[in-house]
Amino acid sequence: MIAWEANIRRVVPYVPGDQPKGDRLVKLNTNENPYPPAPGVRKALLEMDYDRLRKYPDPIASDLVDVLAEYYGLGSDQVFVGVGSDDVIAMSFLTFFNSAKPILFPDVSYSFYKVWADLFRIPFETPALDAAFRICPEDYFKENGGIIFPNPNAPTGLYLPLDQVEAIIRRNPDVIVIVDEAYIDFGGTSALKLIETYDNLLVVQTFSKSRSMAGLRIGFAMGNPQLIKALNDVKYSYNSYTMNMPSLVLGKEAVKDDTYFKETLKKIIDTRERSKKRLRELGFTFPDSMSNFIFASHKTVPAAEIFEALRKEQIYVRYFKQPRLDDSLRISIGTEEEMNVLFGFLEHYLAERA
Ligand SMILES: *Cc1c(COP(=O)(O)O)cnc(C)c1O
């Protein structure tokens, strides 16, 4: 081994879903929103002053922070923004998870948590979900260095009722509890209202799913001013200008158009509920999703085979080749038309297989 190789930081990276190229494909593999961003975003994009690209963006991102604070009824000192919630969560790990005790997150959950813990050398334990893929709050009532879980969870789509989320926060006053609400706009009640009661709670959300802006990379955290200041101190110690100018301008426009936001959410939720019905008719079972995806397994046909068959048809869903997950496919909710292509194919394919 060459001497310097001993000093390379070695990590097993997170593997994002494929971004296949082509026009005719049906892409249901990364939980993107099938509808475009709000019309105001398009207008602002077309009218954007390109000369402003010469300059550094606003380091405190105040326009975006202010509009989010107003929308959620918070002070501007209670909101932190970052380059997608991945950046916000990574910063949060660096900022809040510095105990020698292990942090806790579910064994079946967003697989990036383990990658950050490894990258930052944070010890961790992963309490198992129960047989029905539910988080057991009692598993989090023990000594730990911090807690993070998504709600609704990924890739199951299951929502943990707010009283159970609160129990986890209440029983852990000595550590920071992060609730990753990437999918909360699609169902369930946000833990946001608890931030006034619990100073150890950080709620993280994203523009990538419900606000149709995965390509711009905007995420945000909400919590008490002390937590937000600590996050900003770490951010400024790493990269002062995380948010680029177009994201700041366009993100603000997305928040302003609440009517469009609510209409889009309603369409996706309606399609999700219809999809549950169709999947059941086709012989699938799944946890009851409150998100914009369904984690479905077929009663007779292995998920890996369905995954390959779909891919040949240019229909992309997500398959995790891991214990407990490899019987299921995570199917993002697309437009009605996209879901009809999926169901049309599955109907034929499964009839032939039977
Ligand atoms: C999609 C997702 C994120 C990250 O989203 P960003 O695009 O980085 O905002 C974080 N947590 C969960 C559970 C997700 O599914």
Side-chain angles (χ1 to χ4, degrees), residues 83-86 89 110 113 150 154 180 182-183 206 208-209 217-219:
V83 187
S85 51
D86 285 343
I89 298 168
Y110 187 38
Y113 300 154
D180 177 358
Y183 301 103
T206 175
S208 296
K209 280 86 183 219
R217 315 301 301 127
I218 306 173

Side-chain angles (χ1 to χ4, degrees), residues 144-157:
N144 64 73
I147 293 172
I148 182 163
F149 57 91
N151 198 31
N153 197 8
T156 63

Side-chain angles (χ1 to χ4, degrees), residues 121-300:
R121 311 286 190 258
I122 301 165
F124 64 92
E125 283 175 18
T126 56
L129 300 184
D130 72 9
F133 283 131
R134 283 175 306 221
I135 291 175
C136 308
E138 313 78 61
D139 293 346
Y140 298 81
F141 297 172
K142 61 175 182 183
E143 259 203 301
N144 64 73
I147 293 172
I148 182 163
F149 57 91
N151 198 31
N153 197 8
T156 63
L158 273 181
Y159 170 70
L160 184 69
L162 196 59
D163 58 322
Q164 295 184 44
V165 173
E166 183 169 6
I168 293 174
I169 301 161
R170 191 182 336 109
R171 291 287 293 256
N172 286 281
D174 299 336
V175 299
I176 303 304
V177 178
I178 302 174
V179 185
D180 177 358
E181 295 189 334
Y183 301 103
I184 196 71
D185 295 322
F186 300 106
T189 307
S190 171
L192 182 60
K193 60 170 111 166
L194 303 176
I195 67 170
E196 302 296 341
T197 316
Y198 300 98
D199 62 4
N200 62 324
L201 168 63
L202 192 74
V203 175
V204 177
Q205 296 187 6
T206 175
F207 283 51
S208 296
K209 280 86 183 219
S210 56
R211 293 188 184 276
S212 309
M213 294 177 112
L216 269 186
R217 315 301 301 127
I218 306 173
F220 55 106
M222 299 172 286
N224 81 69
Q226 204 187 335
L227 299 186
I228 299 306
K229 175 167 189 314
L231 273 172
N232 273 312
D233 287 348
V234 169
K235 172 195 132 161
Y236 290 123
S237 309
Y238 189 79
N239 175 1
S240 322
Y241 302 106
T242 52
M243 306 300 290
N244 64 63
M245 182 276 280
S247 299
L248 295 175
V249 171
L250 303 177
K252 178 178 161 184
E253 291 303 322
V255 180
K256 278 164 55 183
D257 195 342
D258 201 43
T259 309
Y260 179 84
F261 178 55
K262 299 261 162 67
E263 279 169 8
T264 309
L265 287 177
K266 186 177 181 311
K267 280 199 279 190
I268 293 169
I269 292 166
D270 288 350
T271 304
R272 177 186 73 204
E273 294 308 311
R274 193 182 67 90
S275 299
K276 287 179 186 173
K277 229 172 119 228
R278 286 294 282 129
L279 285 170
R280 263 186 222 109
E281 287 163 4
L282 290 164
F284 287 89
T285 59
F286 43 85
D288 193 29
S289 172
M290 291 277 251
S291 63
N292 68 335
F293 55 86
I294 298 174
F295 193 59
S297 78
H298 195 265
K299 285 175 188 155
T300 53

Side-chain angles (χ1 to χ4, degrees), residues 325-344:
L325 305 184
D326 57 3
D327 302 334
S328 303
L329 298 171
R330 193 195 65 190
I331 304 166
S332 307
I333 303 300
T335 60
E336 282 286 310
E337 296 72 33
E338 287 173 318
M339 299 316 279
N340 285 339
V341 173
L342 171 74
F343 296 134

